[in-house]
Amino acid sequence: MKNIFVAILLVSLLASCTKNFKDFNQDPNQISDQMLLQDNNLVGSPFSGLLFNIFGHQIEEDLCHDSWMGHLNTPTPFVGNVNNTTYYIRWNAYWGRIYGSVMSPSKQVIELAQKYNLPLFATWAKLIRILAMSKLTAYHGPVIYSNYGTTASTILYDKESDLYDSFFKQLDSIQTTFATNTSYTGFKKFDPSYSGNISAWMKLVNSLRLRLAIRLSKVAPALAKTQGEKALSDPAGLITTNADNFKVSLMGQKMPMAVICFEWDDTRMGAVMESFLGGLKDGRVSKYFSTASNSALYADHPTFPYKGIRNGAYIGAKIDRVPFSKVSEDFQTVPTRRSFTAAEVSFLKAEAALRGWVGAGDPQANYENGVRLSFADWGAGGVDAYLADNTSTPWNYVDPIDAKNNFTASSTITVAWNNADNNELKLEKIITQKWINNFTNSLEAWVDFRRTGYPKIPHVAKNDSSPDWGVIPADQWIKRMPFVNGERTGNTQGVADAVSKMGTGAKDDIATRLWWDTGGPNF
């Protein structure tokens, strides 16, 4: 980590009580608001930053769900190798990013849009809020949404069920507004994702609705079906081609993952990815990762020159695992980051089809289309042979440095679809492929894993959970992130109320399940 102490300081500042967010001070040497009004710059200029900050960086992603889901892992023994990756919470920063860099500036955008009669900019900002907050609630559960911006001494959080109701109702309103303004071009100069194409944003609205509906499919099946079928039948359509993919501009910066990997040497391939990509003979591996620098590291599979690090691994000296597989060099120069792809939509439709939702189509066709879209999006070859493979299965993992990190693959799935399989096995295949495709977007993989149990990944090798943040039993995985300390101390009653909304026996710890994580059967 470049300077973890600076990062922690920034986290503590960002994670202060939500009610204390302040407007940014205006530099008298900057361009005045009146000058920025020209061509809607005052209202439109924040949007690139709003979109960029939907995602996190090292302490929000790489040392959290990137590791927990086995996409990546660190060679660095941060804080004596007792940290987020081993279930002892040291960093909890996403809350501050979302409120400080999305909710606060979007509030100003909405107010300015109303002041200067630019309602579509307010609509656009509200959509980005849902994109961001639907991610934040996947970390914590209840969040401050409907009461955001209040000056009360105690700010109450939205119960998860109420929050999703709000999301769906607001998506209705957003889609209605967009549908009557498809020829509007006012976003174009401010929109790095779709160049102001309202029809493209409408496809994203439907895709987001479908994602959230699938998220609720076990806890609220009737609501999920209604909302999912609404997304599937909307005439605006879904993200169905890679040309429709929702990508977020990096604003001229390097992909955070590349900075962490190449500049700081603090992240490497995950061992779980090695197990699945190697065992299933997956052609996307070279698009995700670089080969390991020493052939002795992958002596257990000499023809597959990659080596990853176990989730929650026992880590000694950092230098031991720096030679493991880095991410692909391509990530050093990419200008955008995948946020929502046609492949993910196809996998959502595949699951919806298993659940009998009208308009979802055929599960096999959606599954295979999702794999094909993913291979094409990542520029990988060999998809036909991959889809036909009914014998290759995930590998066991061998750590050449410390055998305590070894694991036996718990998944025995193959890639090829078999209509004779039961729905549980079919769902495992769908979610496993969705997990592979969502590399660089591991929060969605963490959501899927908690609600379905797929893909089948190993437990952390080193479990440092404790009563401080919650105990994760040896046969379980982390369930959520606790509320940030700024809220615990500055909005104590609000946090207590939020915990009460999580159900009987809930605690503000990492072992409490979120609303949609029922722990029950998938069908």
Side-chain angles (χ1 to χ4, degrees):
M1 191 177 294
K2 190 173 184 180
N3 192 331
I4 194 167
F5 299 105
V6 172
I8 293 172
L9 176 61
L10 289 173
V11 172
S12 67
L13 293 172
L14 285 171
S16 61
C17 183
T18 312
K19 63 177 177 284
N20 293 325
F21 286 136
K22 303 293 185 182
D23 292 338
F24 295 112
N25 293 325
Q26 183 169 336
D27 185 340
N29 297 316
Q30 290 181 343
I31 299 173
S32 70
D33 286 357
Q34 290 301 314
M35 294 175 67
L36 285 173
L37 277 175
Q38 184 177 1
D39 297 325
N40 300 333
N41 285 322
L42 182 62
V43 179
S45 58
F47 277 89
S48 290
L50 294 177
L51 290 166
F52 177 84
N53 282 293
I54 288 172
F55 288 103
H57 205 299
Q58 185 176 30
I59 52 180
E60 301 109 313
E61 293 184 348
D62 188 67
L63 293 169
C64 291
H65 40 80
D66 280 353
S67 172
W68 301 331
M69 291 314 303
H71 278 179
L72 297 164
N73 249 293
T74 182
T76 309
F78 291 119
V79 200
N81 197 34
V82 179
N83 55 59
N84 289 34
T85 69
T86 65
Y87 293 171
Y88 191 90
I89 305 305
R90 301 287 188 182
W91 314 289
N92 192 1
Y94 192 56
W95 178 281
R97 180 181 291 274
I98 293 301
Y99 283 108
S101 299
V102 179
M103 291 297 285
S104 179
S106 68
K107 179 176 182 289
Q108 296 174 33
V109 167
I110 292 167
E111 291 170 350
L112 288 167
Q114 293 170 341
K115 179 178 180 180
Y116 295 110
N117 194 28
L118 295 167
L120 282 176
F121 280 89
T123 299
W124 191 19
K126 291 173 183 176
L127 174 57
I128 294 172
R129 280 185 159 193
I130 298 172
L131 284 165
M133 295 301 288
S134 65
K135 289 181 177 290
L136 186 65
T137 184
Y139 279 75
H140 301 288
V143 291
I144 297 170
Y145 189 64
S146 60
N147 292 322
Y148 175 75
T150 182
T151 57
S153 58
T154 293
I155 304 178
L156 297 182
Y157 290 49
D158 292 77
K159 187 178 181 180
E160 288 175 86
S161 56
D162 294 339
L163 184 68
Y164 284 93
D165 283 341
S166 295
F167 288 160
F168 289 133
K169 289 175 183 176
Q170 289 172 6
L171 289 175
D172 288 342
S173 177
I174 290 166
Q175 196 74 323
T176 298
T177 301
F178 279 167
T180 56
N181 291 276
T182 54
S183 61
Y184 183 72
T185 59
F187 295 169
K188 185 173 183 178
K189 65 181 290 187
F190 309 110
D191 179 3
S193 297
Y194 288 130
S195 299
N197 185 334
I198 299 294
S199 295
W201 284 102
M202 293 176 71
K203 291 180 181 180
L204 177 62
V205 170
N206 287 330
S207 301
L208 179 58
R209 187 191 299 275
L210 182 59
R211 176 193 275 174
L212 299 182
I214 285 289
R215 188 181 292 183
L216 307 187
S217 57
K218 288 170 61 176
V219 70
L223 172 64
K225 186 174 188 290
T226 296
Q227 292 297 327
E229 290 179 350
K230 180 183 287 190
L232 291 163
S233 64
D234 190 272
L238 298 155
I239 296 171
T240 56
T241 70
N242 286 327
D244 295 333
N245 286 352
F246 176 46
K247 297 181 180 180
V248 170
S249 170
L250 294 174
M251 300 175 65
Q253 300 182 43
K254 187 180 288 190
M255 182 86 164
M257 180 178 67
V259 174
I260 301 165
C261 179
F262 293 103
E263 298 183 18
W264 305 344
D265 273 336
D266 279 340
T267 199
R268 291 294 185 267
M269 178 188 202
V272 188
M273 285 296 252
E274 176 190 333
S275 171
F276 278 88
L277 297 182
L280 297 178
K281 302 178 182 177
D282 197 308
R284 287 167 290 191
V285 64
S286 63
K287 305 300 178 179
Y288 293 179
F289 301 108
S290 301
T291 57
S293 60
N294 183 345
S295 60
L297 297 175
Y298 49 86
D300 52 319
H301 44 66
T303 61
F304 183 80
Y306 301 89
K307 180 54 61 175
I309 300 173
R310 169 83 180 265
N311 49 320
Y314 289 91
I315 299 291
K318 175 177 179 175
I319 192 61
D320 290 343
R321 289 175 176 79
V322 167
F324 284 37
S325 291
K326 298 180 179 181
V327 300
S328 168
E329 287 280 350
D330 293 344
F331 290 111
Q332 298 249 51
T333 55
V334 292
T336 60
R337 180 173 182 175
R338 292 169 176 83
S339 184
F340 212 139
T341 67
E344 181 185 344
V345 170
S346 202
F347 294 130
L348 289 168
K349 290 174 65 179
E351 181 173 349
L354 285 185
R355 298 188 181 282
W357 293 3
V358 175
D362 177 70
Q364 178 178 357
N366 284 315
Y367 168 78
E368 293 179 348
N369 186 52
V371 175
R372 290 184 185 280
L373 285 165
S374 181
F375 269 65
D377 186 32
W378 288 101
V383 69
D384 290 335
Y386 184 76
L387 282 170
D389 190 343
N390 61 4
T391 58
S392 299
T393 59
W395 284 338
N396 300 334
Y397 170 75
V398 175
D399 186 333
I401 307 298
D402 189 338
K404 292 195 298 294
N405 296 320
N406 293 355
F407 66 79
T408 300
S410 53
S411 177
T412 58
I413 62 165
T414 62
V415 174
W417 188 267
N418 183 354
N419 276 319
D421 290 338
N422 60 34
N423 277 355
E424 201 65 57
L425 184 53
K426 289 175 180 177
L427 182 63
E428 182 184 354
K429 290 191 176 188
I430 292 167
I431 299 300
T432 298
Q433 287 299 323
K434 191 178 175 187
W435 167 78
I436 294 172
N437 174 72
N438 276 347
F439 182 63
T440 72
N441 193 11
S442 62
L443 176 58
E444 292 306 320
W446 188 33
V447 169
D448 285 335
F449 177 73
R450 286 176 286 169
R451 70 177 181 87
T452 69
Y454 302 130
K456 291 182 178 178
I457 64 173
H459 302 93
V460 290
K462 184 174 183 282
N463 185 338
D464 290 311
S465 65
S466 77
D468 292 352
W469 296 108
V471 175
I472 302 296
D475 64 346
Q476 288 294 318
W477 293 263
I478 188 169
K479 305 301 183 185
R480 64 181 287 271
M481 285 289 277
F483 297 120
V484 296
N485 285 335
E487 283 290 293
R488 287 177 158 196
T489 58
N491 188 24
T492 305
Q493 293 181 17
V495 168
D497 180 69
V499 174
S500 74
K501 290 171 177 172
M502 295 173 70
T504 304
K507 297 179 181 179
D508 182 20
D509 66 8
I510 64 174
T512 294
R513 293 179 183 271
L514 299 190
W515 175 54
W516 40 261
D517 177 11
T518 67
N522 287 307
F523 297 97

